Amino acid sequence: MSIEIIDTRDGFQQIIKDFSATLYPQHPFPNLQCNETIDENFDKGFVLYINNKPAAMACVINNANFRFENEKTACIAFYECIENSEASHTLLHTICNYCKKQGYKHLVGPINGSTWNSYRFATETITDSFLSELFHKDYYVNQFEQFGFKTTAEYVTQIDTKLTIPKVSNDVNEDISFRTLDVENYEAEIKKIFAFCTEVFQNNFLYTAIDEATFLKKYKALKDLINPEFVLIAEHNGETVGLILALHDFYCKHEKRLIIKTLARKSSLYYVGVAQELSAKVVKTALLNNYQCILHAFMHQNNASKNVSRKFSGEPFRTYKLFQKEL
């Protein structure tokens, strides 16, 4: 075995694209991480070779604002590996040694630079991949755990197959209005959503800020996938106070499925009931459009939106883990 250190982001991007073509030769969808642009805070890439052929790889991303337990922390990102425990252990050991020498106290992953990018591993085999879910090998969790990574957060995607609309006990204040996304003014709308998300997500676990230009770039890529009927905005005095963003699951061929990607409201008690009302409106629209189920994607186990999903018949669909290792 040998390890090559890659100094350039473009160089590592090409290597992981080539490796993924051999690692996932039959995968039909583009939700492989090789298709995600590597974060600009790329530090080093590490490629392990067996008999001169790539067998495992990952990179370190140095997000200066990323902290775990308020200490200097590196992100381990774009991890791919064959099913070989020695290869995995050697790669992870090399990366840990490098990060320790650079003064990092923790290594967190998989996280491709920040929580605005792809992160976490599914804990079971991904047999029914959905849009926005990263596809990867089912043994990655075991490789991280066997090396000594500890679970630092758990997430769940829940599925609502009943599409029933329960009675919501909290009445929304009458001066809060609801509307769909104005696609004719898409960029202006996304700028409002950026300001809202920056405020409501800033206390989320491992949150780091991104600039407006980066956010706009991400959402411009989603424009052709968005149906404005499924992007609902709650407003109070002209200000965004709640948001639900759902996408049609273009990967699902056996049923018509919707994915709730974002559900949030401002924390003030004045807006109690807004999230439930947004969810109810999306369920009603889904029924009118003959959807058969809804996925509530990637909810932190402690997230309030998980409770909303339970109210709307949400049952576990898939679980995920995020790991950390003290250096």
Side-chain angles (χ1 to χ4, degrees):
M1 292 184 184
S2 62
I3 289 184
E4 179 185 12
I5 296 178
I6 309 299
D7 293 321
T8 67
R9 185 171 61 138
D10 289 345
F12 186 75
Q13 185 96 61
Q14 187 59 54
I15 290 171
I16 197 170
K17 279 183 178 290
D18 294 341
F19 183 55
S20 295
T22 62
L23 196 62
Y24 305 99
Q26 304 299 322
H27 187 66
F29 303 123
N31 60 334
L32 299 173
Q33 60 183 339
C34 65
N35 294 317
E36 180 176 338
T37 301
I38 297 176
D39 193 275
E40 292 182 357
N41 293 310
F42 171 88
D43 182 11
K44 299 286 184 183
F46 298 80
V47 182
L48 181 141
Y49 295 88
I50 298 177
N51 297 326
N52 297 318
K53 293 183 179 181
M57 60 190 62
C59 68
V60 172
I61 293 180
N62 175 20
N63 180 342
N65 297 316
F66 193 89
R67 313 285 283 183
F68 181 79
E69 296 184 347
N70 204 32
E71 293 184 309
K72 186 178 180 181
T73 302
C75 302
I76 180 169
F78 293 89
Y79 177 86
E80 299 284 8
C81 188
I82 63 171
E83 193 169 7
N84 182 310
S85 58
E86 185 180 0
S88 172
H89 187 280
T90 302
L91 176 73
L92 294 174
H93 180 73
T94 301
I95 290 173
C96 284
N97 282 346
Y98 169 79
C99 290
K100 192 172 183 178
K101 289 178 182 178
Q102 300 303 310
Y104 293 103
K105 301 299 182 183
H106 303 274
L107 187 61
V108 170
I111 182 165
N112 293 351
S114 77
T115 54
W116 296 101
N117 301 329
S118 297
Y119 67 105
R120 67 212 143 198
F121 285 145
T123 60
E124 63 261 27
T125 302
I126 301 174
T127 56
D128 187 5
S129 188
F130 61 87
L131 183 75
S132 78
E133 180 187 45
L134 183 69
F135 186 86
H136 60 79
K137 295 295 185 179
D138 57 7
Y139 49 80
Y140 285 179
V141 164
N142 287 336
Q143 288 181 338
F144 266 51
E145 290 179 337
Q146 287 172 5
F147 183 74
F149 277 89
K150 304 298 183 185
T151 301
T152 190
E154 295 181 88
Y155 304 83
V156 62
T157 291
Q158 293 185 187
I159 186 167
D160 172 7
T161 56
K162 298 178 181 178
L163 300 188
T164 54
I165 305 171
K167 293 180 180 179
V168 179
S169 59
N170 298 308
D171 292 327
V172 177
N173 285 299
E174 292 182 357
D175 55 351
I176 297 172
S177 60
F178 297 85
R179 65 174 179 85
T180 57
L181 183 78
D182 179 6
V183 289
E184 297 300 319
N185 295 287
Y186 187 76
E187 184 168 328
E189 290 279 70
I190 298 305
K191 286 182 178 181
K192 291 178 183 178
I193 290 173
F194 168 72
F196 170 76
C197 290
T198 298
E199 179 179 345
V200 299
F201 294 149
Q202 62 183 331
N203 293 320
N204 283 7
F205 182 58
L206 298 179
Y207 172 88
T208 57
I210 60 171
D211 58 53
E212 184 181 75
T214 302
F215 188 86
L216 286 173
K217 185 176 180 180
K218 287 180 178 293
Y219 274 81
K220 282 180 180 177
L222 285 177
K223 185 176 182 180
D224 291 340
L225 302 178
I226 285 177
N227 179 342
E229 286 189 280
F230 291 111
V231 183
L232 298 178
I233 299 166
E235 293 180 322
H236 181 222
N237 295 331
E239 182 181 345
T240 301
V241 298
L243 170 72
I244 189 166
L245 189 155
L247 299 171
H248 175 72
D249 187 3
F250 291 94
Y251 295 176
C252 185
K253 303 303 180 185
H254 61 276
E255 59 186 347
K256 193 172 183 181
R257 189 161 71 189
L258 192 70
I259 305 160
I260 294 181
K261 182 179 182 293
T262 302
L263 172 60
R265 69 162 175 88
K266 288 197 173 183
S267 59
S268 169
L269 291 177
Y270 194 82
Y271 306 121
V272 167
V274 166
Q276 289 92 332
E277 185 67 23
L278 287 166
S279 294
K281 289 180 180 297
V282 161
V283 172
K284 290 176 183 177
T285 305
L287 286 167
L288 289 172
N289 286 273
N290 300 315
Y291 279 90
Q292 295 163 286
C293 67
I294 296 176
L295 293 178
H296 297 248
F298 310 127
M299 294 176 292
H300 193 284
Q301 291 284 23
N302 298 326
N303 197 326
S305 63
K306 184 183 174 188
N307 296 324
V308 174
S309 184
R310 280 187 181 142
K311 290 182 180 180
F312 287 79
S313 308
E315 299 295 336
F317 179 79
R318 188 136 50 239
T319 57
Y320 311 83
K321 287 184 177 182
L322 182 66
F323 297 95
Q324 72 86 23
K325 184 170 177 60
E326 189 172 345
L327 301 176

